[in-house]
Amino acid sequence: MDKAEAKKRKKRNRLIYRSIILAVMVGAIIFAVVSNLQEDKTIYRVGDQAPDFQLKQINKNNDQETITLSELRGKGVMLNFWGTWCKPCEKEMPYMQELYPEYKEKGIEIVAVSLDNTELVVDRFIDKYGLTFPIPHDKTEEVRDLYKVGPIPSTFFISPEGEIVEIVNGALSLEKLEGSLNKILP
Amino acid sequence: MKEIKCECGHVNPIGTVLCESCGKPIEGNQHIDGNDKKRLLNMRYDGTARRSQTFNKTFIDKVWAFFSSVKVGVWLIVLALIASILGTIFPQEQYIPINAPNRDPAVFYEAQYGIFGLIYYQLGFHNLYSSVWYMILIALIGVSLVICSLDRFLPLYKALKIQKPKKHKTFLSRQRLYSESENVTDEELKLVKERLAKMRYDITEENGNLLAEKGRFSRWGPYVNHIGLIIILIAAILRMTPIFYFEEYVWVREGETTVIPGTDGEYYIENIDFIFDVHDDEKFAEALEKEGMVPSNYQTDLIVYRADTPLPGAEPELKPILEDSVQMNKPLEFDKFTIYQSGYQLNEFSSMTFAIQEKDNEENDFGSFTIDLTNPESEYELDNGFRVVIDQYYPDYYLDENGVPASETNYPRNPAFVFLVYPPDENAPEISFVGIGRNVDATGENNYKLGIQDFDMRDVSGLSVKYDRSLPFFGIGAAIFMIGVIQGMYWQHRRIWINPNNGKVLLAAHTNKNWFGIKKEIEIAIKDTNITMVEDQQELDKSS
């Protein structure tokens, strides 16, 4: 009868050590997967809070001196990253300007972060298209790095609560832009 | 299948093929190793029970049994292989071309590759190698590796530990090397034993039965090897975490300070000077003439700052923490990071000086002005009353598809300007277009022209900033892997059994490799005795 007892114990021990080994391995896999997703956390996705920043505003048609994102709480924010040399950016600018006065009334701010090196080029561009929305200048590309913006244009639509509602990589059409702006109305 | 008590008295676990103690083939289990169809015994894992079965199978046992199968392991590897191949059919998400009409993967793949692109995207192959399911697939290979190894190593270890010198006749006669001898004296047996011991065999004796064994150590090679693989796999997992691995690439222009990406704006780097030297030794003049320019040094003199930024984008407060130079193959370390000199671009324009000249007589000079290309002013006024307004500035001039002047990049690689020149006391400007090798009088009625008098160039240095703390783990894993390979390759596990049986002496031998070697040793051991030399029965299998 001792033998049966020993056998039973052996079986139980085996179950325990198998459970432990499996648990350790499953734990390691979960750690790997989660930490891999966590790394992606530095990329801000739809549903995340938009990280705050502060930049000098260089559009002379707009009277703000600096733009601080957190100060725009309560307004829907279209955060656009662009450069004068980028053709698709240039294409969507008139659409943004066309809709700006109307949507500003409705409580939306268009913030077009310029990634240009020189202010002069941006000034000339603003004159060419008669832009009136704030254009912060990200000369060191720190904010670009913060938002992990790859190729431009890239646009983040941010709700009045500061949450990223939509991210568009690539140029926007007028209809698409209007549809997206309607999503972030206060 | 059930536990089987062998006639030698040993109780074997379920699924045992050859009795752990005496080696007698266990009836009903011979199909497992295919012994039922062969003359010789399959000695893999010494015929131990591997996929241990239990009567009351719990969930854990079922999972265990699944991963314990080598077949499952091979399939996992095949699946990972196929998945990896699929990921290379179309570019991965991060390699979608910059100039694509729409870089949103939801649109790009279908627009570019049609229905296959759409399927590719929907199945998630556009982001394959960091996708959760791909990682899990790789991890499952690791799990299979661990469980397969454990389930084979432990029974083998046990079986080799409890093996007895006395083996069943069937076991002996079905070994590849086997002989039966008559009229063998005890003295002869003793002599053979001594000779075997001299050849560094471990001898176990029991009631006149003899087991000589050496190189059992070799059998652990594959398992040591697997431990190495598992460590490498763990290192690969660790490398995915930011704690263990960081790599960023940054372009810094001479005289400029840039944030090191990925550091949350904590570090800035300033390029003081980029140095690009070429070989110009007289001795090699001839060779250099043939080869052209041969670089001898790539170097950046730089300052690293730690920044105190209240808010990203706001003017940072910079504290220099390192002022040094980095050369190719001579990286620079600061805090936890290492900076490598990884790229360069020479000769970007940094400033240009223009002279106002009379169009028909260039000798007639009305003074000059200098434009800082990193920060051009919109207007330049000369002492003599001339005023020049920059109407347009194209840092990297080209004509776009519509023939309109535009800038290709953000950087002054091919600067061009549209100037409005206001002569003193004039309100109507003259328009001229000036670039490298270009000087266009738009109206053809200009009295003055602008000539490039001088320019300054600067270089751009490409630096990669990284740390990789997983490397030691890869090193340890690879070393253990190699030890395992050597252990399994350069040693052989040899066993010789000598059992008296009904007045005869049965001799059988087994090795996991180098059968020639073990035959040679048997020959030496039985020299000048009545023991018959073993016969290699391998041919029997082939003919049967």
Side-chain angles (χ1 to χ4, degrees):
Chain A
M1 292 317 101
D2 268 1
K3 245 185 181 167
E5 190 71 23
K7 219 171 101 183
K8 219 170 145 192
R9 185 155 3 116
K10 205 172 143 194
K11 222 174 228 173
R12 204 191 51 216
N13 285 346
R14 184 165 56 197
L15 188 66
I16 290 170
Y17 96 71
R18 284 183 176 180
S19 305
I20 291 170
I21 291 170
L22 282 175
V24 167
M25 288 191 295
V26 169
I29 294 170
I30 290 171
F31 170 77
V33 171
V34 168
S35 59
N36 193 47
L37 294 179
Q38 212 115 55
E39 196 191 21
D40 287 346
K41 272 265 167 64
T42 58
I43 299 172
Y44 293 94
R45 295 178 188 284
V46 170
D48 293 338
Q49 281 289 311
D52 198 10
F53 64 86
Q54 186 184 355
L55 285 172
K56 197 176 134 209
Q57 201 282 119
I58 57 169
N59 186 352
K60 291 177 184 72
N61 302 329
N62 192 288
D63 47 18
Q64 281 159 285
E65 292 222 326
T66 58
I67 291 289
T68 308
L69 187 66
S70 54
E71 284 171 9
L72 297 173
R73 259 316 138 75
K75 287 181 177 180
V77 177
M78 172 190 175
L79 179 63
N80 174 264
F81 290 87
W82 70 287
T84 52
W85 71 94
C86 139
K87 286 283 170 190
C89 304
E90 187 167 358
K91 214 177 148 198
E92 65 184 10
M93 279 291 163
Y95 304 147
M96 285 156 68
Q97 185 54 42
E98 192 180 329
L99 296 177
Y100 181 58
E102 182 193 339
Y103 279 88
K104 192 178 164 59
E105 287 293 307
K106 292 182 180 170
I108 282 183
E109 190 62 281
I110 293 181
V111 176
V113 177
S114 164
L115 301 174
D116 273 271
N117 274 335
T118 46
E119 249 184 82
L120 178 81
V121 181
V122 185
D123 285 346
R124 294 293 180 261
F125 188 92
I126 291 168
D127 292 345
K128 185 173 172 190
Y129 289 100
L131 307 177
T132 56
F133 45 78
I135 297 182
H137 194 194
D138 186 20
K139 214 176 163 179
T140 59
E141 303 205 339
E142 200 184 336
V143 177
R144 180 189 198 166
D145 178 45
L146 180 70
Y147 277 82
K148 294 284 181 291
V149 173
I152 47 176
S154 259
T155 311
F156 295 74
F157 291 92
I158 302 165
S159 75
E161 292 76 39
E163 186 188 295
I164 298 172
V165 177
E166 193 187 355
I167 301 171
V168 179
N169 291 312
L172 289 153
S173 64
L174 188 62
E175 299 77 46
K176 177 110 172 59
L177 176 59
E178 191 153 16
S180 298
L181 287 177
N182 280 322
K183 285 191 208 164
I184 53 169
L185 284 174
Chain B
M1 286 189 286
K2 54 178 196 224
E3 279 191 355
I4 300 131
K5 189 168 179 176
C6 181
E7 61 175 55
C8 71
H10 183 74
V11 179
N12 289 294
I14 295 150
T16 305
V17 183
L18 305 174
C19 172
E20 290 176 331
S21 175
C22 75
K24 182 181 181 230
I26 286 160
E27 225 170 293
N29 285 353
Q30 292 314 298
H31 60 283
I32 296 175
D33 277 344
N35 289 338
D36 48 350
K37 298 201 180 72
K38 294 265 183 188
R39 168 88 178 78
L40 295 183
L41 292 175
N42 186 341
M43 287 291 284
R44 208 157 37 143
Y45 314 114
D46 264 38
T48 54
R50 305 189 281 286
R51 236 151 298 165
S52 358
Q53 320 277 331
T54 37
F55 291 113
N56 55 342
K57 262 194 176 176
T58 62
F59 173 70
I60 296 283
D61 287 325
K62 277 182 190 155
V63 172
W64 193 273
F66 176 75
F67 284 109
S68 176
S69 159
V70 168
K71 221 183 255 173
V72 169
V74 169
W75 272 111
L76 285 173
I77 292 170
V78 169
L79 283 179
L81 208 64
I82 292 170
S84 305
I85 292 168
L86 289 176
T88 64
I89 294 179
F90 298 134
Q92 290 284 293
E93 193 180 5
Q94 65 266 41
Y95 299 117
I96 294 176
I98 291 165
N99 53 11
N102 194 326
R103 294 188 326 274
D104 186 345
V107 180
F108 172 79
Y109 288 96
E110 191 182 1
Q112 193 76 17
Y113 306 110
I115 181 75
F116 294 110
L118 182 67
I119 296 169
Y120 196 77
Y121 168 72
Q122 282 171 345
L123 292 178
F125 289 133
H126 66 294
N127 191 17
L128 180 82
Y129 303 108
S130 50
S131 69
V132 170
W133 68 267
Y134 184 79
M135 280 175 59
I136 289 179
L137 189 58
I138 300 296
L140 290 183
I141 293 175
V143 171
S144 153
L145 197 63
V146 170
I147 294 181
C148 281
S149 301
L150 275 175
D151 260 15
R152 282 159 183 76
F153 168 72
L154 291 175
L156 177 65
Y157 178 81
K158 232 173 72 191
L160 289 179
K161 206 169 161 157
I162 60 180
Q163 63 177 333
K164 292 275 170 12
K166 170 139 182 67
K167 287 285 171 184
H168 195 271
K169 192 181 173 197
T170 335
F171 176 86
L172 296 175
S173 63
R174 287 178 75 183
Q175 292 300 322
R176 185 170 150 184
L177 300 182
Y178 178 68
S179 75
E180 295 180 9
S181 326
E182 283 172 34
N183 306 324
V184 181
T185 63
D186 285 353
E187 281 72 39
E188 282 175 333
L189 281 175
K190 214 178 141 204
L191 183 68
V192 169
K193 192 175 93 181
E194 276 164 12
R195 284 172 177 167
L196 285 172
K198 217 174 188 177
M199 287 185 280
R200 283 184 285 123
Y201 275 88
D202 287 328
I203 312 283
T204 336
E205 231 180 331
E206 208 179 277
N207 304 328
N209 296 298
L210 194 107
L211 164 64
E213 182 183 17
K214 74 170 169 189
R216 193 193 285 183
F217 167 76
S218 157
R219 296 292 287 268
W220 316 139
Y223 308 105
V224 172
N225 178 309
H226 284 181
I227 291 169
L229 278 181
I230 289 159
I231 292 173
I232 289 172
L233 212 62
I234 291 171
I237 288 171
L238 291 178
R239 201 170 186 268
M240 291 177 188
T241 66
I243 309 163
F244 279 87
Y245 184 74
F246 174 94
E247 182 173 16
E248 291 285 353
Y249 196 91
V250 60
W251 287 105
V252 202
R253 312 194 131 64
E254 273 175 341
E256 284 196 352
T257 307
T258 313
V259 66
I260 299 179
T263 60
D264 289 331
E266 200 188 338
Y267 294 99
Y268 280 71
I269 202 160
E270 181 180 358
N271 182 349
I272 304 291
D273 191 14
F274 177 76
I275 299 162
F276 175 81
D277 290 329
V278 291
H279 287 286
D280 60 351
D281 198 319
E282 276 295 320
K283 239 194 293 183
F284 308 120
E286 224 171 290
L288 286 173
E289 201 162 314
K290 229 163 57 188
E291 276 301 310
M293 205 169 63
V294 178
S296 64
N297 185 26
Y298 307 91
Q299 177 181 336
T300 310
D301 297 336
L302 51 82
I303 302 178
V304 177
Y305 299 94
R306 185 178 286 127
D308 197 5
T309 322
L311 209 55
E315 199 66 36
E317 205 177 289
L318 299 177
K319 265 180 280 170
I321 54 169
L322 175 82
E323 188 170 352
D324 209 335
S325 53
V326 58
Q327 278 177 299
M328 192 167 95
N329 294 334
K330 281 183 193 147
L332 196 57
E333 283 176 36
F334 73 95
D335 288 3
K336 57 190 175 185
F337 301 98
T338 311
I339 307 176
Y340 297 85
Q341 179 71 58
S342 312
Y344 69 98
Q345 292 164 28
L346 295 179
N347 304 337
E348 223 175 70
F349 291 90
S350 63
S351 74
M352 292 177 108
T353 304
F354 293 91
I356 304 174
Q357 300 157 339
E358 199 171 320
K359 197 182 168 196
D360 300 324
N361 181 9
E362 288 180 17
E363 302 287 292
N364 219 342
D365 196 324
F366 298 95
S368 62
F369 60 95
T370 300
I371 301 176
D372 176 1
L373 294 176
T374 59
N375 192 17
E377 318 242 341
S378 63
E379 215 178 289
Y380 294 84
E381 225 176 316
L382 275 69
D383 292 339
N384 56 12
F386 270 96
R387 201 156 62 87
V388 179
V389 171
I390 300 180
D391 184 52
Q392 291 296 332
Y393 166 39
Y394 309 101
D396 194 0
Y397 169 79
Y398 81 116
L399 280 176
D400 69 10
E401 58 268 32
N402 304 321
V404 180
S407 187
E408 202 160 8
T409 69
N410 197 7
Y411 307 110
R413 289 176 186 148
N414 182 19
F417 298 86
V418 175
F419 289 116
L420 305 178
V421 182
Y422 292 85
D425 309 318
E426 288 244 14
N427 285 329
E430 291 183 355
I431 302 169
S432 45
F433 176 83
V434 186
I436 308 294
R438 289 182 191 82
N439 206 324
V440 181
D441 172 1
T443 55
E445 293 167 0
N446 288 358
N447 294 319
Y448 304 97
K449 67 178 257 187
L450 292 165
I452 300 172
Q453 198 176 48
D454 198 8
F455 56 81
D456 280 325
M457 301 274 225
R458 63 174 176 178
D459 305 326
V460 192
S461 177
L463 302 167
S464 61
V465 182
K466 60 172 148 187
Y467 60 78
D468 188 350
R469 294 165 171 152
S470 63
L471 275 181
F473 295 92
F474 280 106
I476 292 167
I480 293 177
F481 177 94
M482 211 54 221
I483 290 170
V485 170
I486 292 165
Q487 203 175 327
M489 294 280 266
Y490 292 95
W491 277 266
Q492 298 118 37
H493 182 216
R494 295 177 179 173
R495 277 177 293 173
I496 299 168
W497 296 274
I498 303 175
N499 288 182
N501 190 308
N502 292 333
K504 287 184 183 172
V505 167
L506 312 183
L507 188 150
H510 180 259
T511 178
N512 58 348
K513 61 174 78 77
N514 191 1
W515 294 85
F516 177 80
I518 195 171
K519 273 191 254 177
K520 217 64 197 162
E521 285 187 332
I522 295 170
E523 237 167 58
I524 295 166
I526 61 171
K527 205 177 166 213
D528 301 328
T529 66
N530 276 332
I531 300 179
T532 323
M533 182 53 197
V534 288
E535 194 186 333
D536 194 334
Q537 306 192 86
Q538 192 182 31
E539 289 308 309
L540 293 177
D541 249 5
K542 284 187 184 152
S543 57
S544 69

